[in-house]
Amino acid sequence: MGHSEAPAQRLCHHMAPREPTSCLDAMMVRVDVGVEFFILLSGFLTHHLHKDKDILASCGSFFAYFTRRIFRCLLATYVGMTLCALTQLLGGFEVCTPKTLSCFFLMKTWIDPTPNCPNMPSWFVVSLLPCWFLYPWLRLLLLKTTSARQCLCFCALAWLLAIGPQFSMLLWQQNWLSWNQLIYTWFWPPALVPDFVLGCCVAGMVHHNPPTAQVSWLGDFAMIVLLCACMLVPVPEPPADWAGPEQWRPGHYVAWEQLFARLSAPFLGVFLYCTYNGGSLMTRLLSHRTLVSLGRYTLEVYLLQMPLHDFFLWTRAPGAEGLWRGLPWTSEVFWFYLLLLLAACVFFVEILAEPLNQRVKSLSAAWARGRGKPAEALRSHRDQDLARPYTTDPGTDPIAELVSKEMKTTGTQTTESSFARSQGKEEEEEPNRAWKRFSKSTDAKNPEQTQRIEALSAQTAKAPSRIAGDTPVPEPKGPQRTSSFAR
């Protein structure tokens, strides 16, 4: 953040301390292999979960799909950028700039792919947005494939499109890529679209030809070879004119490291395909309940690591006239940082992110089904009212209560008679016959009551055809409406 201390004392790229040295230092340089695995996994899961869903059936279905994919990512991204901008502002850095504004609008990476937004990991989310947007059309292409061999050909084509620009420039200029060339082949959002397509094609292979348990060992072998390469392949020395960020580890994205991520893609693809059946040793290890539970928070850990990092950086120097002794970046402080980061992400996900995400999913699904359209909702409610039989309110007077009971009985008999008609038996009884049967059962000694029932029967016979038709009248549910005839 602009301090002038020695590089060994900095909070380095992806936060791991540089001292003391260990056998994992080379792996810390190759974090782009992890990025490659995440982009492949995103493509694999997207096609695996949505291959049977017609996303392009309507604008509502596409809106629901895209909203479900991006909401939680964007929520964590904006929270991270806001907190990073706040810590930078407290540290005395200028924040209100056009660059920061373009970062908040997710446009900066498209114009200048250098990962220097307030929340640096946000570049990966910006790269995923065009992948998720284009997937519905890619799905149509993959559904036209008829065999796993065709999907394998698509895998090879996608991998060549991913590594092709880098390899072509290397051959053309007979030298490794410069930093400016590298950012357009890795951090620029369209650069990762072929890697996403590769993950989708691997999922297509699984769909056409699911792997058996006999090939699980091949996935474990591919991952072990890749991990050994990450630890044992030497890290190159950066050239004198290297223009990459100074606070990153030496050798990051230099020389052959520029191709390391794309060269690891075939190994990662083999791992995803061969371990799909769950029979591999590594799959069983990663399926442990503890790791699965922690997997719920990996997105937030990735996107919120930078704000907490900046806070530790801001509180590192001694101050308060000797009351604060500082917080040097030692291994103990690093493990405390990881524990605090995990606790903050768990709190953020369980209290805010996941409840909001579920709410957005339900609203988008309802909108896609048309329930969010007021006109259709009113039209549906009106049709239900017209289909409901006209009855009297049982709470108005005793006669209305008796009539309501008789209508309920009529509705039940009508339903039963419709079943009899489907079996070739007698036709169903019309509703107006129920009124006649009810009028006969009324005490004839009360002429006033008899006249009221006859009037109701005559008015009901003149009711619209929707009241007494060939369609069975369902039994009324809930409170009955007061008929205009009764009024």
Side-chain angles (χ1 to χ4, degrees):
M1 294 186 54
H3 297 281
S4 59
E5 50 271 74
Q9 299 177 351
R10 291 176 183 267
L11 293 182
C12 71
H13 179 49
H14 284 266
M15 322 315 168
R18 299 183 182 181
E19 294 180 355
T21 59
S22 68
C23 61
L24 299 179
D25 287 346
M27 187 176 290
M28 293 297 102
V29 175
R30 287 156 184 142
V31 292
D32 51 326
V33 176
V35 174
E36 180 71 15
F37 182 70
F38 283 137
I39 192 72
L40 291 178
L41 187 60
S42 178
F44 183 90
L45 291 177
T46 300
H47 186 62
H48 180 69
L49 297 175
H50 296 88
K51 65 179 182 297
D52 298 326
K53 300 177 181 179
D54 191 3
I55 302 174
L56 297 178
S58 63
C59 294
S61 60
F62 178 80
F63 172 79
Y65 150 78
F66 196 63
T67 302
R68 291 165 66 109
R69 298 301 298 173
I70 70 173
F71 175 77
R72 185 169 165 180
C73 292
L74 291 184
L75 178 63
T77 299
Y78 279 115
V79 170
M81 281 197 290
T82 302
L83 294 177
C84 283
L86 181 60
T87 54
Q88 292 180 9
L89 183 64
L90 294 175
F93 295 92
E94 187 177 1
V95 175
C96 300
T97 62
K99 185 196 80 171
T100 304
L101 186 63
S102 62
C103 289
F104 272 89
F105 281 101
L106 306 179
M107 295 299 300
K108 191 263 177 190
T109 309
W110 290 84
I111 303 171
D112 178 17
T114 304
N116 56 358
C117 280
N119 189 25
M120 187 270 293
S122 62
W123 75 269
F124 183 65
V125 175
V126 178
S127 298
L128 281 175
L129 294 181
C131 300
W132 290 334
F133 183 83
L134 296 174
Y135 167 73
W137 291 271
L138 173 63
R139 170 186 169 273
L140 298 179
L141 178 62
L142 291 177
L143 290 180
K144 293 181 179 179
T145 58
T146 58
S147 64
R149 181 174 299 180
Q150 292 182 354
C151 290
L152 181 60
C153 294
F154 279 117
C155 288
L157 179 61
W159 182 69
L160 291 176
L161 290 175
I163 200 173
Q166 293 173 307
F167 196 70
S168 299
M169 285 190 289
L170 289 176
L171 295 178
W172 178 69
Q173 64 189 15
Q174 298 294 316
N175 197 0
W176 299 109
L177 303 181
S178 64
W179 170 250
N180 189 60
Q181 292 173 331
L182 174 69
I183 61 176
Y184 280 96
T185 58
W186 183 249
F187 295 102
W188 193 44
L192 290 183
V193 172
D195 305 86
F196 180 86
V197 174
L198 176 57
C200 295
C201 294
V202 174
M205 291 180 58
V206 171
H207 174 67
H208 287 291
N209 186 21
T212 61
Q214 286 73 17
V215 300
S216 300
W217 68 270
L218 187 58
D220 291 335
F221 178 75
M223 182 58 69
I224 291 174
V225 170
L226 182 58
L227 292 177
C228 291
C230 290
M231 289 189 295
L232 301 179
V233 173
V235 178
E237 292 292 333
D241 58 346
W242 181 247
E246 296 180 357
Q247 67 271 23
W248 289 9
R249 287 179 178 267
H252 198 48
Y253 295 121
V254 175
W256 56 83
E257 297 298 329
Q258 299 168 355
L259 297 175
F260 213 100
R262 264 57 185 266
L263 290 176
S264 69
F267 296 91
L268 296 172
V270 170
F271 174 77
L272 287 175
Y273 176 79
C274 295
T275 60
Y276 173 77
N277 54 63
S280 70
L281 295 176
M282 192 164 295
T283 302
R284 290 198 295 266
L285 175 64
L286 296 176
S287 299
H288 192 274
R289 290 186 302 174
T290 303
L291 297 178
V292 172
S293 300
L294 293 177
R296 288 171 46 86
Y297 317 111
T298 51
L299 171 68
E300 283 73 20
V301 167
Y302 175 74
L303 292 174
L304 300 181
Q305 58 177 320
M306 187 63 72
L308 187 60
H309 155 267
D310 289 348
F311 176 77
F312 272 75
L313 187 64
W314 182 51
T315 59
R316 179 178 50 181
E321 297 182 356
L323 296 178
W324 176 250
R325 301 179 59 181
L327 198 64
W329 196 243
T330 60
S331 299
E332 294 79 8
V333 175
F334 173 70
W335 286 109
F336 173 67
Y337 161 81
L338 289 181
L339 180 62
L340 187 60
L341 175 62
L342 180 60
C345 291
V346 170
F347 179 82
F348 176 78
V349 170
E350 299 297 337
I351 301 301
L352 179 63
E354 191 56 27
L356 284 177
N357 188 44
Q358 294 300 327
R359 180 63 176 169
V360 169
K361 285 182 179 181
S362 62
L363 290 177
S364 61
W367 190 89
R369 292 193 300 266
R371 295 181 180 178
K373 298 179 180 180
E376 293 186 5
L378 292 175
R379 191 180 302 113
S380 176
H381 183 68
R382 183 195 63 186
D383 295 340
Q384 293 178 2
D385 287 346
L386 293 178
R388 187 181 303 170
Y390 279 77
T391 59
T392 57
D393 188 357
T396 54
D397 55 27
I399 299 300
E401 183 177 358
L402 294 174
V403 172
S404 177
K405 291 182 180 180
E406 182 64 20
M407 287 301 295
K408 288 183 179 180
T409 305
T410 304
T412 305
Q413 293 175 353
T414 303
T415 305
E416 294 175 353
S417 62
S418 64
F419 174 78
R421 183 179 57 184
S422 65
Q423 302 297 326
K425 299 182 181 180
E426 59 181 356
E427 293 293 328
E428 64 179 335
E429 184 182 20
E430 295 180 356
N432 59 348
R433 295 183 183 178
W435 292 93
K436 295 179 180 179
R437 186 173 68 253
F438 177 76
S439 62
K440 291 180 180 180
S441 62
T442 308
D443 188 5
K445 296 181 180 180
N446 192 345
E448 181 180 359
Q449 182 180 3
T450 303
Q451 292 177 2
R452 294 182 61 181
I453 293 176
E454 290 177 353
L456 286 174
S457 177
Q459 292 173 357
T460 306
K462 298 178 181 180
S465 60
R466 65 173 179 269
I467 300 177
D470 294 333
T471 304
V473 180
E475 181 178 354
K477 298 181 179 179
Q480 303 295 322
R481 296 186 307 141
T482 303
S483 173
S484 58
F485 305 119
R487 301 192 190 98

